[in-house]
Structure formats: C-alpha cells, structure tokens
C-alpha cells in the first residue's frame, strides 16, 4: 500500500468565511468542520470470519515484504468579520463568531495478523511509514457600540503507525527479519480575535489541541532466524502547538483638544444619566411623564468596558516503542537482535489576552490569559519478562533524534 512515486499527499480541508456590514446590528458566524478517518494498510488477514481457518503463506524460501506508506494534510479555516457599512459608523451591536474543528484519525500498518501461518520464509520485511500535518485556524473580528468576538479552534489528532507480527505459530526464516515503523506528525491550532467596541468590547478566544501518536514495532509470536539479524525499529518526530489571542479596544477617540466626545467619557455619562433621572422624577412629580416608558440612550449608558480573555490548551502524548513481549522466544544462528527507538517530541501552548486603550477613555479594562501545556513522551526499547533470547548479540537503544537532542515540552 504505497503513495505514488511523486510523493502524493491525501489532502482534506474545510473552510468557512463570513462577513457583514451593518449600521444597526451586525452578526457574522462561521463553522468549519473537517473529520477524517484515513487508513493505509499492508497486511495478511487473520481469522476474520471466525471459522477456525487461517491464511497460510508459503514463500518457498523467498522474501516476504509488507510496505505501507501514508501521507496526509488536514486543514481548517474559519473566519468571521463584522465591519461598518460603507461610509457608516460602526454598528450599535457587532458579533463575529467562528468555530473551527479539525479531527484526524490516521492509521498506517504493515502487519501479519494473529494466527496466520508463515511457511518457508527466506527473509521478512515489514515497513510502515506515515507523515501527517494538521492545521486549524479560527479568526474573528467585530466593531460596534457593543462588540463581541467569541472564537474556538479545536484540533484532535490520533495517529497510529505500526509494523507488527501478530500472535500465532513460530515463524522460521532462512535469513532475517526487519520491522520498522517511522512516523512524523505536526499539529498547529490558532485562535485569533480582534474586537473594537465604543461602549462594550468582549473578546474570547479558545485554542485546544489534543494530539496522540503511537509508533510501534513488535512481534506477538516466536521467531527463529537463520543467518540474518532480527531488528525492530520505531521512529517518531511529532510536534503540537496551540496559540490563542484575544485583543480588544474600547472607548471613543479623543478630539483635537485631547478630550473625549461629549457624553462619551465616564464623567459625562454619569452626568447625563443623573440629568435624565432628575428630569424623569420632576415629570413624575408634576404628573407630566406620560404613559410611555422612559428609555435612556444606549450611547450614554456608562463608561466603556473592554474584556479580553484567551485560553490556550495543548495536550501532546507520544509513545514510541520497539519491544519483544514477555514469554516470547527470539533466536538467530548467525545474526543479532536489535531493538531501536528514536523519538523527538515538541509540545507548546501560548495564550495572549490584550486590552488596549489608546484614548484613555475605557472605564473598565480586563486582559486575561491562561496557557496549559501537557506533554507525555515515552520512548522505550525493551525485552519483556520471561522472554528467551538466543542470538549472536543483543542491542537495545532508545534515544532522541540526531537533529535535536532535546525534547521541548
């Protein structure tokens, strides 16, 4: 199961972009959803129908080769923007909301399943190679008297790459066996919101990444090799990153004298409301208030309020394993046993909550940011309890890749 010679890639994407311009109420909303289940498999099936019969493969001293290669990109872009109508002031109410959800479940395997009979095998090679990229972006902007920008960018990536001999009868080889699982993955999630409200501006951005990567090379059955080595290798290079940004600004701009427009700073707002209340109480005492319910102008309802909240959460779990299970036997009359893992894991989370007041007219400003990064990296080469190894040498190695000897978490 191979990609073609031109290094082709499976591409999956979803995009939703919305925008509006209004003088009164403007609402823009976008939802982009991408859900992918992507399997590339080279395998010999076991007793799938449970009838007690199993596949038999007789190579007549020839080579047994299973090779699976899988490469993909998954992209989501969600954007919403509320802008003033041409030649008009910003809307009284502006809401720009966007959600981007990206889910990718990728499996790549080269496997002889349980109970398959392997007969007269010369050499065996099982190779599973995968390379997956996921990118999720959610952006939004809103402007108005009351402006709100809620955003969410969510990425869920689950990748499994394995080269494996399933359980069953012992496999005999005149030469040797190699099983290699090689996996690369990159996941990035970005939520960016910009909000401008003259009275109230609220920006909330959430970025969430959950990335789980399992890379495995192993055997479930006994191996009796002849002149060659028995080698199990698992390699992984994975990265996950989340960034959430919420930026808000509020208040009316000052005039050429450095003063806010009449009725727009806090003192003027309070004076206007006090005058309005006094006039209403006077009319009530004089019996001249009429039957209409008095209403204050929303443009004069208090000082401006700006709130920016950003939450960035990143969870990255990587397991890279090459092993001989417990109670298994591996022998070679002329070769070594090699168990090798090479793994690099990068995981990061960034959150920025920015409240900007260039005019000095914001009564209440709040900027809050929370970044949480959880990284779990397991890189293991081992021989299980009660296993029996009878080879011309045993080599176990677990290390980070040569290009970068540091795991960044």
């Amino acid at each position: 199961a191979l990609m073609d010679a031109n290094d082709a890639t499976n591409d999956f994407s979803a995009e939703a972009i919305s925008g509006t311009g209004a003088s009164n109420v403007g609402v823009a909303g976008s939802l982009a959803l991408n859900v992918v289940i992507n399997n590339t498999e080279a395998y010999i099936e076991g007793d799938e129908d449970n009838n007690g019969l199993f596949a038999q493969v007789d190579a007549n001293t020839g080579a047994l080769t299973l090779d699976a290669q899988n490469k993909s990109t998954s992209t989501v872009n969600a954007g919403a923007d509320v802008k003033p109508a041409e030649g008009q002031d910003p809307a009284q109410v502006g809401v720009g909301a966007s959600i981007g959800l990206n889910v990718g479940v990728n499996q790549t395997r080269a496997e002889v399943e349980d109970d398959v009979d392997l007969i007269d095998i010369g050499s065996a090679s099982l190779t599973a190679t995968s390379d997956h990229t996921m990118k999720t972006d959610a952006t939004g902007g809103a402007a108005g008297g009351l402006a709100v920008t809620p955003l969410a960018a969510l990425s869920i990536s689950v990748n499994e790459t394995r080269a494996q001999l399933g359980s069953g009868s012992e496999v005999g080889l005149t030469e040797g066996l190699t099983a290699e699982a090689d996996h690369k993955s990159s996941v990035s999630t970005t939520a960016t919101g910009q909000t401008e409200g003259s009275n109230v501006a609220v920006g909330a951005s959430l970025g969430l990444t959950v990335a789980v990567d399992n890379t495995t090379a192993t055997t479930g059955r006994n191996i009796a090799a002849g002149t060659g080595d028995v080698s199990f290798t698992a390699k992984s290079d994975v990265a996950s990153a989340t960034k959430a940004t919420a930026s808000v600004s509020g208040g009316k701009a000052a005039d050429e004298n450095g003063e806010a427009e009449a009725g727009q700073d806090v003192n003027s707002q309070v004076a206007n409301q006090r005058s309005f209340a006094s006039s209403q109480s006077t009319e009530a005492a004089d019996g001249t208030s009429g039957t209409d319910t008095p209403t204050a102008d929303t443009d004069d309802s208090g000082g401006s309020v700006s709130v920016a909240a950003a939450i960035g959460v990143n969870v990255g779990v990587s397991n890279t394993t090459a092993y001989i299970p417990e109670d298994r036997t591996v022998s070679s009359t002329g070769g070594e046993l090699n168990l090798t893992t090479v793994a690099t894991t990068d995981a990061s989370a960034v959150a920025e909550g920015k409240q900007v007041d260039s005019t000095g007219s914001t009564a209440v400003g709040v900027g809050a940011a929370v970044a949480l990064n959880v990284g779990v990296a397991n890189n293991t080469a081992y021989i299980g309890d009660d296993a029996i190894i009878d080879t011309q040498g045993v080599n176990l190695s677990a290390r980070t890749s040569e290009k970068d000897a540091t795991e960044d978490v």
Side-chain angles (χ1 to χ4, degrees):
L2 304 175
M3 308 300 292
D4 66 29
N6 295 320
D7 194 28
T9 301
N10 295 318
D11 294 320
F12 308 97
S13 64
E15 182 176 36
I17 304 295
S18 64
T20 183
S23 59
N24 189 16
V25 177
V27 178
S30 297
L31 170 63
L33 175 62
N34 188 48
V35 178
V36 175
I37 298 176
N38 174 32
N39 297 319
T40 298
E41 303 167 295
Y43 67 99
I44 302 174
E45 193 172 67
D47 186 15
E48 187 69 19
D49 56 8
N50 297 313
N51 65 356
L53 301 176
F54 311 101
Q56 292 184 340
V57 177
D58 188 340
N60 294 301
T61 72
L64 171 66
T65 302
L66 303 180
D67 190 0
Q69 299 179 23
N70 191 359
K71 187 174 183 179
S72 73
T73 61
S74 297
T75 306
V76 164
N77 185 20
D81 196 10
V82 178
K83 297 179 179 180
E86 185 175 354
Q88 300 292 325
D89 291 332
Q92 294 184 23
V93 178
V95 179
S98 63
I99 298 175
L101 175 60
N102 208 351
V103 179
V105 179
N106 302 296
Q107 177 179 244
T108 308
R109 66 175 178 132
E111 183 173 2
V112 177
E113 293 188 346
D114 294 348
D115 298 318
V116 172
D117 286 336
L118 299 176
I119 303 169
D120 204 10
I121 307 297
S123 63
S125 174
L126 286 69
T127 306
T129 305
S130 59
D131 187 350
H132 304 297
T133 301
M134 175 177 285
K135 185 177 181 181
T136 307
D137 292 323
T139 61
L146 168 62
V148 181
T149 308
L151 300 175
L154 311 171
S155 298
I156 300 174
S157 173
V158 179
N159 299 314
E160 182 173 6
T161 304
R162 70 178 183 268
Q164 178 172 304
L165 283 174
S167 63
S169 60
E170 180 179 275
V171 57
L173 307 113
T174 56
E175 298 178 29
L177 177 144
T178 60
E180 180 172 334
D182 191 344
H183 171 60
K184 295 181 181 179
S185 175
S186 175
V187 183
S188 66
T189 307
T190 306
T192 305
Q194 295 181 330
T195 311
E196 183 176 352
S198 57
N199 293 321
V200 177
V202 178
S205 297
L206 169 65
L208 171 64
T209 299
V210 177
V212 179
D213 298 275
N214 294 312
T215 309
T216 307
T218 189
T219 179
R221 66 181 67 193
N222 298 336
I223 300 171
T227 59
D229 294 341
V230 177
S231 300
F232 292 90
T233 303
K235 299 179 180 179
S236 69
D237 184 356
V238 301
S240 59
T242 304
K243 184 175 183 180
T245 302
S247 177
V248 303
S249 60
K252 293 292 186 179
D255 61 20
E256 61 183 5
N257 297 319
E259 297 178 355
E261 296 180 14
Q264 299 305 318
D265 65 357
V266 176
N267 292 332
S268 296
Q269 295 285 359
V270 172
N272 289 339
Q273 295 299 326
R274 184 171 57 233
S275 175
F276 175 79
S278 297
S279 65
Q280 292 301 315
S281 62
T282 301
E283 291 179 7
D286 294 341
T288 60
S289 60
T291 58
D292 293 335
T293 302
T295 303
D297 187 347
T298 56
D299 288 338
D300 297 325
S301 59
S304 64
V305 177
S306 298
V307 179
I311 300 175
V313 178
N314 191 85
V315 179
V317 179
S318 176
N319 298 305
T320 307
T321 313
Y323 70 103
I324 304 299
E326 62 181 17
D327 296 321
R328 297 280 78 85
T329 297
V330 176
S331 64
S332 177
T333 59
E336 301 176 330
L337 171 63
N338 301 302
L339 300 176
T340 304
T341 57
V342 181
T344 301
T345 303
D346 299 328
S348 65
V350 176
E352 298 179 357
K354 302 176 181 180
Q355 187 278 321
V356 181
D357 181 9
S358 60
T359 66
S361 58
T362 301
V364 178
V366 178
V370 176
L372 173 62
N373 184 56
V374 178
V376 178
N378 295 313
N379 182 18
T380 311
Y382 74 94
I383 297 172
D385 185 29
D386 295 328
I388 299 174
I389 309 300
D390 183 10
T391 59
Q392 307 310 303
V394 177
N395 304 298
L396 279 71
S397 175
R399 65 184 188 272
T400 55
S401 63
E402 290 79 7
K403 72 174 185 178
D404 184 1
T406 302
E407 293 187 348
D408 296 327
V409 177

